[in-house]
Amino acid sequence: MAFKRIAVLMALAISQLQPGNAASIQKRSVTCPTGQTTANEACCVLFPVVDLLQKELFDNGQCDEEAHAALRLAFHDAIGFSNSGKGGGADGSILAFNSTETAYDANAGIDDIVALQWPLFLKSNLTAGDFVHLAAAVGTANCPGTPQLPYSFGRPPPVAPAPDLTVPQPTDSVTTILARFAEAGFVAPEVIWLLASHSIAAAVRTSTSLPPGTAFDSCVIFSDTQFYLEVLLNGTQFPGSGEKSGEVPSALAGEMRLASDFAFSQDSRTACFWQEAIDDQPFIMGKFEAAMAKLQVLGQSGFRLTDCSDVIPVPKAFSGPIRYPASFNQTNVQIACTSTPFPSLATVAGPAPTIPPVSVTF
């Protein structure tokens, strides 16, 4: 087991030493016609688009369902890629060829955010890839606790839809999901770090009795490590369509956890990476930022991109710390990693909570 973990960490180190696609930020400041400043004049065209997104998509800077859906859309777009030459990666094909890609089973529910983004995309004068990944970075920045995600500018228009069966599903096994990510150049820890996005996630549509907007953790408007903790709490599963769709209730009333998330938290290949994310906000958000930097340029290595990360709003901080929900403690945790101590956490006072659905305005 120790050898396998060392091998994974060595692969991770190699993956993070790969050269980036974005040009280095120039050590100067340019004042744009809009009055904002950036390190690169080419980025000035993005500020009006950022303002457009905040006003017309994200309800003047809210961490809402549209923000999460924009991040989900960017992931589903980028992961349609393989180092063997399959798919265009982070090229915006999911938006440009939406009638094709929204029909894929793994993209169920994506059509809602596509419909909202499409008219704004037409106004933006950006390529589909630049627009999709800008919207994801801006929407994510509206959620306290997230890092200021990097953003690269200059993708060409996509030439074809991504192939089907490139987006992992919550019904897939850990082995299947890790293999799909490996085809795109990601190792196991990076998969776990990317799942930090679920801390601001909710189900737009469900196949269970749980309503649309059912959250994946109890603090869905904050990007924190509460998600990693609550997936580990003793939950209940029920027969029928929920299990088949990969949607299962968590230990908290009104909350959902994905079958694949729980599987990652328990699998010997990933359980310790999952556990080390708990109650270490700087660590996991730094790793999430690095994994997202890699994701949003998949398939773009042949093009010269410009680093325009400084056009992305700076998120508010999450003060923390996370705590067990009321009536829960470490005896309720399904611990699968025993090589390191489990974090010591306090418990919120009061009765066991019921998590209300997130408002879904699609």
Side-chain angles (χ1 to χ4, degrees):
M1 181 63 64
F3 176 78
K4 289 183 178 179
R5 184 168 169 81
I6 291 170
V8 169
L9 291 172
M10 288 178 64
L12 173 62
I14 293 170
S15 76
Q16 293 192 327
L17 287 173
Q18 298 302 315
N21 293 287
S24 299
I25 295 178
Q26 300 178 40
K27 301 300 182 181
R28 61 189 179 89
S29 180
V30 175
T31 300
C32 302
T34 55
Q36 291 126 319
T37 59
T38 176
N40 195 309
E41 187 175 5
C43 305
C44 286
V45 299
L46 297 173
F47 285 114
V49 184
V50 171
D51 292 342
L52 177 72
L53 288 166
Q54 293 287 50
K55 180 179 179 181
E56 298 193 23
L57 184 62
F58 300 130
D59 193 22
N60 294 313
Q62 298 300 306
C63 179
D64 51 17
E65 180 52 35
E66 288 79 7
H68 164 250
L71 181 57
R72 181 185 180 218
L73 184 68
F75 167 72
H76 283 233
D77 177 59
I79 202 62
F81 170 78
S82 169
N83 284 322
S84 64
K86 181 191 302 182
D91 61 356
S93 66
I94 200 166
L95 184 61
F97 300 99
N98 58 77
S99 61
T100 298
E101 293 196 36
T102 57
Y104 301 160
D105 286 345
N107 290 337
I110 285 288
D111 54 321
D112 296 316
I113 188 63
V114 166
L116 290 177
Q117 287 195 9
W118 181 257
L120 305 183
F121 161 61
L122 295 179
K123 293 180 183 179
S124 72
N125 293 317
L126 301 183
T127 64
D130 281 342
F131 181 86
V132 165
H133 294 278
L134 178 65
V138 173
T140 302
N142 293 335
C143 301
T146 58
Q148 183 186 30
L149 293 181
Y151 175 71
S152 297
F153 176 53
R155 297 166 185 79
V159 297
D164 197 3
L165 306 179
T166 55
V167 179
Q169 300 210 58
T171 52
D172 291 339
S173 68
V174 169
T175 296
T176 297
I177 296 174
L178 290 180
R180 173 75 275 275
F181 271 95
E183 287 183 334
F186 290 87
V187 293
E190 293 173 309
V191 178
I192 302 307
W193 301 337
L194 284 170
L195 289 174
S197 62
H198 285 183
S199 67
I200 55 171
V204 179
R205 303 172 187 173
T206 74
S207 302
T208 69
S209 59
L210 298 170
T214 298
F216 293 171
D217 86 1
S218 57
C219 300
V220 74
I221 64 170
F222 295 102
S223 184
D224 55 26
T225 65
Q226 194 78 32
F227 158 74
Y228 291 98
L229 172 66
E230 291 177 9
V231 166
L232 289 173
L233 298 179
N234 291 318
T236 57
Q237 297 190 7
F238 53 90
S241 61
E243 286 183 347
K244 293 178 182 178
S245 68
E247 301 167 352
V248 293
S250 78
L252 300 181
E255 186 178 281
M256 176 191 295
R257 62 181 177 181
L258 296 181
S260 54
D261 287 344
F262 180 67
F264 276 125
S265 78
Q266 301 298 299
D267 192 278
S268 61
R269 293 165 290 184
T270 51
C272 289
F273 297 121
W274 190 281
Q275 183 170 297
E276 73 180 346
I278 297 172
D279 200 33
D280 195 338
Q281 180 79 5
F283 168 81
I284 191 58
M285 289 305 150
K287 296 300 187 181
F288 174 61
E289 179 182 357
M292 283 297 298
K294 185 174 175 179
L295 182 79
Q296 63 118 358
V297 293
L298 283 181
Q300 306 304 302
S301 60
F303 309 103
R304 181 172 177 79
L305 303 182
T306 299
D307 188 338
C308 291
S309 302
D310 58 5
V311 309
I312 306 302
V314 178
K316 295 179 181 178
F318 171 71
S319 57
I322 67 165
R323 294 181 289 175
Y324 287 106
S327 82
F328 289 88
N329 56 46
Q330 189 167 323
T331 64
N332 305 112
V333 178
Q334 295 171 273
I335 297 176
C337 175
T338 57
S339 62
T340 57
F342 196 83
S344 178
L345 304 169
T347 297
V348 175
T354 296
I355 310 304
V358 176
S359 175
V360 176
T361 57
F362 293 149

